[in-house]
Amino acid sequence: MLTAQQIRAFEDQGYLVVEDVLTEAELAPVRAEYANLLDKLYAGWEAEGLVPAGEGLDFWGKLLAAYRAGCDWFQPMDISLPGDRIEADTPMHFGPAVFDMITAPRLLDLVEDLIGPEITSNPIQHVRIKPPASDLQSDEVRAHITATDWHQDRAVALVEADETRMITVWLAITDATVENGCLQVLPKTPDILPHCPKTQTAIADGFVEEAKAVPLPVKAGGAVIFHPLTPHSSLINRTDGFRWSFDLRYHVTGHPSGRAHFPEFVARSRERPASELKSCDVWREMWEKARQRLSARPHIDIHRWQSDAPYCA
């Protein structure tokens, strides 16, 4: 799928924009699945008197009304469990359209070109639906909703995955533009930069030349691919609409995921095709079992950086 020139560019710089990874026909089921999910969530909130009447509101209108009312749609829509305390009823979403998106052949072809044919779907994955900055609550710190601080993906995984061959596929569901908060990047570094607990886990001050950042707009269905040592962040959404993407990761099968307490699965194997997961129901069950197990255990901290480190003072 990728040309030799694209592969060289990725190896040199650590990032690549690829348009038309998924077609509109492939994106439509994902949008429909989320619209159905939001309709159910909104109906419940409306019955409790928490949100205004949903009649006449489209998907975006309901998202905004729910956010303004303080109703959390993010975690019920996320394709992962949270990094903080997990309860037996912590909501999450693992639907067939999302599973088909994660395992889409064209997307896996792209991944195979960069990390080889033995591909595992990494559990560090999220939906990202960002409201207009003008509507953000003053205490909003979730990177999946507000602008994302500068970081490297290797630094937000656990130490066990420092040698894992992994890539991130940032898949646009709506057009991502400079105005609505697309990604911006710098070339990959040889090693992990120091990070600190800031608004989010972020690269320590003085290690990023923001003036040299490259914004990476991409149309719906396209993707930004980046290496785990590529510094990146997102711009502020200065429009009056939402920006929607998925943050997906893949690693070479057999390598540590960086979240050993969360489930992974084999998405493609040329050597052992029978090991590939083909069932969304099994995928969902894996996460449900993980939730049950983790809710009964002490919290597992996913952050490896301490605020008292010398470069965080």
Side-chain angles (χ1 to χ4, degrees):
M1 177 179 176
L2 296 178
T3 66
Q5 183 178 8
Q6 287 176 308
I7 293 171
R8 282 196 302 272
F10 179 83
E11 291 173 347
D12 290 344
Q13 299 296 312
Y15 63 88
L16 188 67
V17 176
V18 184
E19 297 285 4
D20 302 320
V21 176
L22 297 183
T23 66
E24 279 297 315
E26 291 171 307
L27 294 178
V30 177
R31 294 181 179 131
E33 187 169 278
Y34 271 79
N36 183 57
L37 173 59
L38 181 58
D39 284 347
K40 292 177 181 177
L41 291 169
Y42 201 93
W45 296 325
E46 187 176 338
E48 295 179 55
L50 300 176
V51 292
E55 185 177 357
L57 293 178
D58 63 6
F59 179 78
W60 307 113
K62 288 181 178 179
L63 275 180
L64 189 56
Y67 184 79
R68 287 172 173 171
C71 297
D72 181 27
W73 40 256
F74 169 70
Q75 186 53 49
M77 290 183 169
D78 199 20
I79 55 174
S80 182
L81 286 164
D84 52 15
R85 177 66 194 177
I86 295 168
E87 306 293 344
D89 60 352
T90 297
M92 53 188 179
H93 178 68
F94 297 94
V98 173
F99 182 78
D100 289 346
M101 175 187 71
I102 290 173
T103 58
R106 184 170 167 81
L107 191 155
L108 294 179
D109 288 346
L110 182 157
V111 174
E112 181 172 347
D113 284 345
L114 296 174
I115 68 170
E118 304 305 310
I119 302 169
T120 286
S121 175
N122 186 281
I124 307 176
Q125 56 189 14
H126 296 286
V127 66
R128 296 181 181 272
I129 304 180
K130 297 190 183 266
S134 57
D135 282 287
L136 288 176
Q137 296 162 9
S138 59
D139 60 349
E140 182 61 75
V141 298
R142 291 171 293 180
H144 318 300
I145 291 180
T146 186
T148 308
D149 290 340
W150 282 98
H151 68 283
Q152 295 166 297
D153 281 353
R154 183 155 289 168
V156 297
L158 296 179
V159 176
E160 66 190 36
D162 277 0
E163 302 302 321
T164 292
R165 193 174 179 193
M166 180 189 306
I167 61 169
T168 297
V169 178
W170 191 93
L171 185 66
I173 307 301
T174 59
D175 291 352
T177 66
V178 171
E179 293 73 26
N180 72 8
C182 69
L183 288 182
Q184 56 180 349
V185 301
L186 290 165
K188 69 176 181 180
T189 62
D191 300 296
I192 301 177
L193 297 172
H195 283 62
C196 298
K198 296 186 180 181
T199 305
Q200 302 134 18
T201 298
I203 296 172
D205 293 343
F207 287 87
V208 172
E209 294 186 75
E210 293 190 37
K212 295 184 178 181
V214 178
L216 301 178
V218 62
K219 293 187 178 299
V224 178
I225 319 299
F226 47 95
H227 187 279
L229 289 175
T230 301
H232 61 282
S233 68
S234 69
L235 296 167
I236 295 171
N237 182 358
R238 301 185 185 280
T239 71
D240 58 2
F242 283 76
R243 194 216 72 193
W244 182 4
S245 64
F246 284 92
D247 188 8
L248 309 175
R249 289 186 179 93
Y250 301 87
H251 67 266
V252 173
T253 300
H255 290 201
S257 71
R259 286 287 189 282
H261 55 294
F262 285 173
E264 60 186 53
F265 69 86
V266 176
R268 172 174 287 178
S269 175
R270 301 296 191 188
E271 187 174 304
R272 296 177 58 240
S275 66
E276 297 175 4
L277 184 66
K278 300 294 186 182
S279 170
C280 172
D281 292 338
V282 173
W283 183 50
R284 183 187 302 110
E285 184 179 347
M286 291 164 63
W287 281 91
E288 289 171 348
K289 288 180 177 178
R291 177 176 60 186
Q292 182 180 21
R293 181 184 73 253
L294 294 168
S295 67
R297 293 176 50 181
H299 172 63
I300 298 174
D301 193 356
I302 64 170
H303 301 289
R304 59 195 281 187
W305 306 94
Q306 304 300 318
S307 58
D308 59 357
Y311 39 76
C312 297

